[in-house]
Amino acid sequence: GQILGRDQCVSPEEALKAYTIYAAYQHHEDQEHGSLEAGKFADMVILDMNPLTCDPMRIKDIQVMETIVEGKTTFRKSDGQFQQR
């Protein structure tokens, strides 16, 4: 519960951008990856909580429910078990 380096904090929105849009840009892949747009690969995860609206102290508890790579489900959490597809 203690915040270290308060001046180093970023918002949940900026953190998501750092892992998606900004990372794709740094790797010169922003034409294919980094955001959900027509013509780009549909790489995404489905989470059990919205990191933009949940309590910031609960972000660490967010679980991945499904992973989709190039439009195909590659991982799905079902009945407490991960099933590879």
Side-chain angles (χ1 to χ4, degrees):
Q2 183 179 1
I3 296 176
L4 303 174
R6 185 174 297 279
D7 59 331
Q8 306 270 326
C9 293
V10 296
S11 70
E13 182 177 1
E14 282 298 308
L16 284 174
K17 286 180 180 180
Y19 275 96
T20 57
I21 296 168
Y22 300 159
Y25 178 80
Q26 287 179 322
H27 290 274
H28 306 286
E29 296 179 355
D30 50 316
Q31 297 302 311
E32 301 90 22
H33 300 279
S35 60
L36 295 176
E37 297 178 52
K40 291 188 175 185
F41 291 110
D43 297 347
M44 67 181 119
V45 294
I46 298 172
L47 307 173
D48 70 339
M49 287 189 280
N50 183 341
L52 301 177
T53 59
C54 75
D55 176 352
M57 296 305 290
R58 294 202 58 210
I59 290 175
K60 66 179 175 38
D61 301 321
I62 293 175
Q63 293 192 23
V64 174
M65 303 306 290
E66 188 169 346
T67 301
I68 301 167
V69 179
E70 295 182 13
K72 295 182 176 121
T73 297
T74 58
F75 211 61
R76 179 176 289 152
K77 185 173 183 178
S78 175
D79 299 325
Q81 299 290 324
F82 279 103
Q83 297 177 350
Q84 197 163 8
R85 300 219 172 219

